[in-house]
Amino acid sequence: YYHLKVAKDIKEELGEAITFGNEIHKIAEEYVAKDKPIPEKYKSIEAALKALKDMEGDKLCENKLGLTVDFEPCGFFDKKVWWRGIADIIILQGDTALTVDYKTGKKSFAGTTAQRDRHAEKEGKIVAKHAAYDKAMGMKSGGYVKAADGIAKRGKTRGKFC
């Protein structure tokens, strides 16, 4: 642990699943933010990503978020940061934001619907903390795009946070 996380004098070998997940996230970011075509072998996720890309609003891809121990927003690399997370995509639509979490795990999507809903709710609340609005935001939270085994799916859970 010390050499990997503290001294950082050795690098961890990335497994096939992590490499695949990183690749999908990069492809999604480049497609939505930079209009870069999706490689042929990943065309199965294009419809789901196109739906996000075509939505009205400002798209923030791979948005780095931080919170202090008091749950106040701060920069991702701030000295006082207690929690860090990266939102795969946030779509700002006036006083509403949609957060989407890409999933690239097993075909049998890890976790129950309740676990995914809790994750989506947490992400929505964190985004709300970072929102640059003077009033409370109505959050549409919890979209997820599932990409595994050549299958692309979209699902949603929604909640209001004020």
Side-chain angles (χ1 to χ4, degrees):
Y1 178 85
Y2 173 80
H3 290 283
L4 187 64
K5 302 289 184 185
V6 180
K8 297 182 181 179
D9 55 359
I10 61 170
K11 289 198 176 218
E12 184 176 14
E13 293 267 336
L14 298 180
E16 188 177 323
I18 291 173
T19 300
F20 174 70
N22 289 343
E23 189 173 7
I24 292 293
H25 279 74
K26 182 177 179 177
I27 288 166
E29 177 183 12
E30 289 177 346
Y31 176 78
V32 172
K34 301 175 184 172
D35 208 27
K36 186 173 177 181
I38 294 174
E40 193 60 40
K41 76 180 203 175
Y42 295 120
K43 286 292 186 181
S44 64
I45 66 171
E46 187 168 21
L49 292 175
K50 184 172 181 349
L52 295 172
K53 182 178 174 179
D54 290 347
M55 290 181 77
E56 292 294 321
D58 296 325
K59 280 95 178 164
L60 307 175
C61 296
E62 298 298 318
N63 195 264
K64 294 180 175 156
L65 305 168
L67 293 176
T68 67
V69 71
D70 297 318
F71 297 100
E72 293 301 319
C74 67
F76 191 80
F77 295 108
D78 281 1
K79 287 185 179 184
K80 60 185 175 179
V81 71
W82 172 76
W83 177 91
R84 290 184 179 103
I86 301 174
D88 294 338
I89 185 170
I90 302 168
I91 302 174
L92 301 174
Q93 301 168 325
D95 64 353
T96 301
L98 171 70
T99 64
V100 177
D101 191 25
Y102 305 131
K103 296 297 179 195
T104 58
K106 295 179 183 175
K107 193 173 184 178
S108 62
F109 198 105
T112 65
T113 299
Q115 289 168 324
R116 291 192 304 271
D117 288 352
R118 280 193 301 276
H119 175 77
E121 181 179 351
K122 178 184 77 173
E123 188 173 72
K125 288 179 179 180
I126 291 163
V127 170
K129 282 277 191 183
H130 277 268
Y133 298 111
D134 293 332
K135 61 182 182 173
M137 290 181 60
M139 299 296 296
K140 292 179 187 171
S141 180
Y144 53 90
V145 175
K146 172 77 171 101
D149 302 332
I151 298 169
K153 299 179 182 175
R154 287 185 298 157
K156 290 185 249 182
T157 58
R158 292 181 184 257
K160 267 266 203 235
F161 306 105
C162 298

